[in-house]
Amino acid sequence: MPSTSKAALKKRQSDADVDDDYAESAPKPKKPRTSTTSKSKDPHEQAKTIVKTIINSPENFQVPTAEDDIRQHLLVLAQYAVSLQSGEGVTPKQKSPEEIESAAIRLRDTVSKQIKKQMVWKPSCKVGTAKWQYEGICSDPAVFQRLMRLPAPATYKQTKITVDDLTNILDDNLVTSVRYDYLYITGGEVNVRWNKETGEFRFSGTYGKKS
């Protein structure tokens, strides 16, 4: 059996050490990058998590102690609240015709009740020029369309309707009683404002005694 010289053994050992060193220092294969363009991250994910935690555990949720953490929590919640007001943070559920009708009736009754609450006696009622105004929010354009009894969604920002149109829309004569007399919507027309982006709407006009 051929003998192996010490020099040859030492060389083989040195080569093996070099191979081991290379194996340890060789860069690991990189993981393929995942595309971030296909899925956009929810900008309000942190706020939604905070809200969910608070709702699920109202008595035991953890409250930040550091002032910076508290400020950060309040900031993300405020940004989320603003996004909800503008309709950005939530996708509205499509209502059925029955749900639209039910929501329109509830809104109609609220508007009617609040207008009549404002119809109290003032000196200007004698000549029918006392002012009333109702402001509300209807986040679903389909509900506002049904409330106004329109054939298509409202596209106007401001319009006028007759007093008869208003009483038909609200299914209410809008009459209140005062001592020895009655108060009515007057002026012949009612102003209507509508913002389809925010859902804000406003009715305004005059009321008082009939001339």
Side-chain angles (χ1 to χ4, degrees):
M1 183 175 179
S3 60
T4 304
S5 67
K6 291 182 179 180
L9 285 172
K10 188 173 182 181
K11 183 178 185 305
R12 288 178 187 175
Q13 182 65 41
S14 176
D15 291 344
D17 290 343
V18 170
D19 290 341
D20 289 343
D21 290 342
Y22 178 80
E24 290 176 2
S25 61
K28 296 180 181 180
K30 294 182 179 180
K31 293 181 179 180
R33 292 182 179 181
T34 56
S35 174
T36 57
T37 56
S38 58
K39 292 183 179 179
S40 58
K41 186 178 178 182
D42 184 352
H44 304 295
E45 182 177 356
Q46 183 183 0
K48 291 178 181 178
T49 301
I50 294 172
V51 171
K52 185 176 180 181
T53 301
I54 293 172
I55 291 175
N56 289 342
S57 186
E59 296 180 358
N60 301 314
F61 68 88
Q62 188 174 359
V63 180
T65 55
E67 184 176 338
D68 288 345
D69 292 339
I70 295 173
R71 289 180 182 276
Q72 179 63 21
H73 272 60
L74 293 175
L75 175 61
V76 297
L77 290 173
Q79 290 171 335
Y80 184 41
V82 170
S83 75
L84 292 176
Q85 288 179 340
S86 64
E88 171 196 336
V90 64
T91 302
K93 177 187 172 184
Q94 188 81 16
K95 290 184 175 68
S96 67
E98 293 76 15
E99 289 173 326
I100 291 173
E101 179 70 19
S102 178
I105 290 173
R106 289 196 303 272
L107 183 58
R108 177 198 73 189
D109 293 345
T110 298
V111 174
S112 173
K113 181 179 178 181
Q114 293 303 318
I115 291 175
K116 287 195 291 188
K117 258 179 126 176
Q118 296 181 46
M119 295 172 64
V120 296
W121 178 257
K122 297 177 181 179
S124 52
C125 288
K126 292 179 181 179
V127 290
T129 58
K131 296 185 182 300
W132 65 269
Q133 177 175 291
Y134 175 81
E135 294 181 343
I137 293 180
C138 178
S139 58
D140 191 336
V143 174
F144 186 75
Q145 175 188 346
R146 183 67 190 93
L147 170 71
M148 299 299 292
R149 303 189 183 187
L150 300 172
T155 56
Y156 53 77
K157 292 183 179 180
Q158 183 175 351
T159 189
K160 291 181 182 291
I161 59 175
T162 67
V163 172
D164 286 342
D165 287 338
L166 180 66
T167 57
N168 287 333
I169 286 169
L170 300 181
D171 196 24
D172 193 324
N173 288 329
L174 299 174
V175 178
T176 60
S177 63
V178 291
R179 193 173 185 182
Y180 307 126
D181 220 325
Y182 293 92
L183 302 177
Y184 305 84
I185 301 295
T186 60
E189 291 184 328
V190 172
N191 301 307
V192 180
R193 286 182 178 270
W194 162 246
N195 186 329
K196 66 178 180 179
E197 303 299 329
T198 63
E200 295 172 285
F201 69 94
R202 184 173 73 193
F203 296 134
S204 62
T206 57
Y207 73 94
K209 292 173 61 176
K210 280 190 174 179
S211 55

